[in-house]
Amino acid sequence: MARAGAAGLLLAVCVLIAAPPAPGETQRSALADLTPAQLAGQRVVCGFAGHRVPATVSQRIGRGELAGVILFSNNAGKRPQVRRLTASLQAIARPAALRQPLLIAADQEGGQVRRLPGPPTASAESMAARGAAYVERQGRRTGRSMAALGVNVDLAPVLDVARRKGFIADQQRAFGATPPDVAQFGVGFARGLQAAGVAATAKHFPGLGSTAANTDLRPVIINLSRAKLLRIDEAPYPSFIAAGGKLVMVSSARYSALDPILPASQSRKVVTDELRGRLGFAGVTITDALDTPGVEKLAGTTKTATRVAAAGTDLLLYSSCSTAAEAAAALASALAAGTLPRAEFEASVERVLGLRAAIPSSGTSG
């Protein structure tokens, strides 16, 4: 029996030695070989004009210095053209550690906010009026349509709880005026998207339903009490998290009850303490567009980018890849100087690469 026990112990040791590293360990090992510019690039998504990939964007992707792109209406002609564009993006050769599918995102909410040909044509408000089953079917139809175009992230659903005279309500972008309605319909739309292989993005945390001002146009301060923010505006998010929602877009507004100084996407109190800590969200966080008047009036590109990264927001979104390049350079410099802790920075990159690896894509680099 002693010999048998020794033999079993030896076999166990051999198995442990021979076992391949866990996926997370492999990814962390790969991250150690990335340059600061490559690590910084994996936290940036940006847009460009036209129906073809600009050389500068192609080069950044080829160097492993961009996590993905966002498509706007000016990128989208007829469906075959959009499919050619996304296929050309995914076909760009990339470094071995960064061959996961690129993130290719679009705002495809429906109604006034619809960047691509295909569903949903109805607004969130109109979809909700037809019931939960209809909303989820529309989410699935939208996901199938986007996936067929090669777009793998929808910057939807809006989980803002509508208020009278708020700009979200005025644009019919909300699924309801109560947290239960928004949770039921918004999360149903997200389930439909993700069932079709497209990652859903809940927005705009902690909530923009109460303001009449558009955060893209000017700086916005929301003075709701913490109790009201938690009871109403944040209330739909636990359902989204429980349903496996992949991304959360963090608002550019400032919430005086949560952080009296910094906008939400630049605030560690909001992103790390509130969204990740209190609500337990473990997915990818993303900003709203950072190169808008509403954000740029507060601080320059460099300062804003480093604040966003320090807050723990994973992805920085820019409508212009030239501005994104400036932001990425600032992140790389801060990382190399130790101003941004490498362990936290790599944790964000791990989440982004995990998302990229998990979403289907055809024509990926290999």
Side-chain angles (χ1 to χ4, degrees), residues 46-55 57-58 61 66 68-94 101-106 115-117 146-152 321 361-365:
C46 64
F48 56 86
H51 291 183
R52 296 186 178 183
V53 184
V57 175
S58 179
I61 293 171
L66 199 61
V69 303
I70 177 172
L71 301 184
F72 296 104
S73 299
N74 66 33
N75 299 119
K78 294 183 178 179
R79 292 181 66 86
Q81 173 269 318
V82 180
R83 189 67 191 93
R84 287 193 298 272
L85 175 61
T86 60
S88 68
L89 283 161
Q90 297 291 10
I92 297 169
R94 304 186 282 280
L102 295 169
L103 299 175
I104 302 181
R115 313 302 187 204
L116 304 171
M146 294 179 77
L149 293 173
V151 180
N152 52 33
C321 279
S361 176
S362 61
T364 51
S365 172

Side-chain angles (χ1 to χ4, degrees), residues 295-305 326:
V295 177
E296 289 183 331
K297 285 180 182 177
L298 297 175
T301 299
T302 296
K303 183 176 288 186
T304 297
E326 182 183 348

Side-chain angles (χ1 to χ4, degrees), residues 9-346:
L9 179 60
L10 180 60
L11 177 61
V13 170
C14 290
V15 168
L16 285 172
I17 292 172
E25 293 173 3
T26 303
Q27 189 162 282
R28 279 189 290 275
S29 175
L31 293 183
D33 296 329
L34 298 182
T35 66
Q38 289 172 326
L39 286 169
Q42 298 317 301
R43 297 186 67 173
V44 174
V45 170
C46 64
F48 56 86
H51 291 183
R52 296 186 178 183
V53 184
T56 52
V57 175
S58 179
Q59 289 160 8
R60 290 191 68 80
I61 293 171
R63 294 194 301 267
E65 296 175 6
L66 199 61
V69 303
I70 177 172
L71 301 184
F72 296 104
S73 299
N74 66 33
N75 299 119
K78 294 183 178 179
R79 292 181 66 86
Q81 173 269 318
V82 180
R83 189 67 191 93
R84 287 193 298 272
L85 175 61
T86 60
S88 68
L89 283 161
Q90 297 291 10
I92 297 169
R94 304 186 282 280
L98 300 171
R99 287 181 180 164
Q100 301 89 342
L102 295 169
L103 299 175
I104 302 181
D107 286 290
Q108 194 76 350
E109 299 175 16
Q112 295 183 36
V113 183
R114 178 170 162 265
R115 313 302 187 204
L116 304 171
T121 55
S123 68
E125 182 179 299
S126 297
M127 285 189 276
R130 297 185 63 171
Y134 177 81
V135 173
E136 188 158 347
R137 284 198 303 272
Q138 287 297 298
R140 190 174 288 106
R141 285 188 65 224
T142 301
R144 288 172 180 161
S145 174
M146 294 179 77
L149 293 173
V151 180
N152 52 33
V153 176
D154 192 357
L155 299 178
V158 170
L159 291 192
D160 298 326
V161 179
R163 312 297 213 284
R164 187 170 171 270
K165 295 186 179 179
F167 86 97
I168 293 291
D170 287 348
Q171 295 175 359
Q172 299 185 339
R173 295 171 66 190
F175 283 99
T178 68
D181 280 350
V182 172
Q184 179 185 23
F185 299 129
V187 175
F189 189 83
R191 275 197 305 268
L193 284 172
Q194 295 193 169
V198 171
T201 308
K203 62 186 188 185
H204 310 79
F205 185 85
L208 285 177
S210 64
T211 180
N214 188 330
T215 55
D216 286 344
L217 304 179
R218 65 177 180 83
V220 173
I221 301 174
I222 292 176
N223 289 316
L224 296 178
S225 68
R226 177 180 172 83
K228 186 167 286 188
L229 284 168
L230 269 58
R231 188 177 74 252
I232 299 175
D233 296 86
E234 294 186 23
Y237 284 87
S239 297
F240 179 81
I241 294 167
K246 300 295 186 183
L247 299 97
V248 169
M249 179 181 285
V250 186
S251 162
S252 295
R254 178 152 52 97
Y255 298 79
S256 56
L258 301 178
D259 188 329
I261 298 171
L262 294 172
S265 62
Q266 301 174 41
S267 169
R268 196 172 182 88
K269 293 176 182 177
V270 175
V271 179
T272 299
D273 298 346
E274 190 73 12
L275 180 55
R276 294 211 186 276
R278 191 181 73 82
L279 294 181
F281 181 62
V284 171
T285 49
I286 184 170
T287 68
D288 208 338
L290 293 174
D291 47 354
T292 61
V295 177
E296 289 183 331
K297 285 180 182 177
L298 297 175
T301 299
T302 296
K303 183 176 288 186
T304 297
T306 52
R307 282 177 174 174
V308 167
T313 310
D314 299 318
L315 282 172
L316 287 68
L317 177 64
Y318 295 89
S319 59
S320 162
C321 279
S322 59
T323 309
E326 182 183 348
L331 294 185
S333 295
L335 178 62
T339 308
L340 292 172
R342 188 174 179 107
E344 287 190 7
F345 205 102
E346 287 189 357

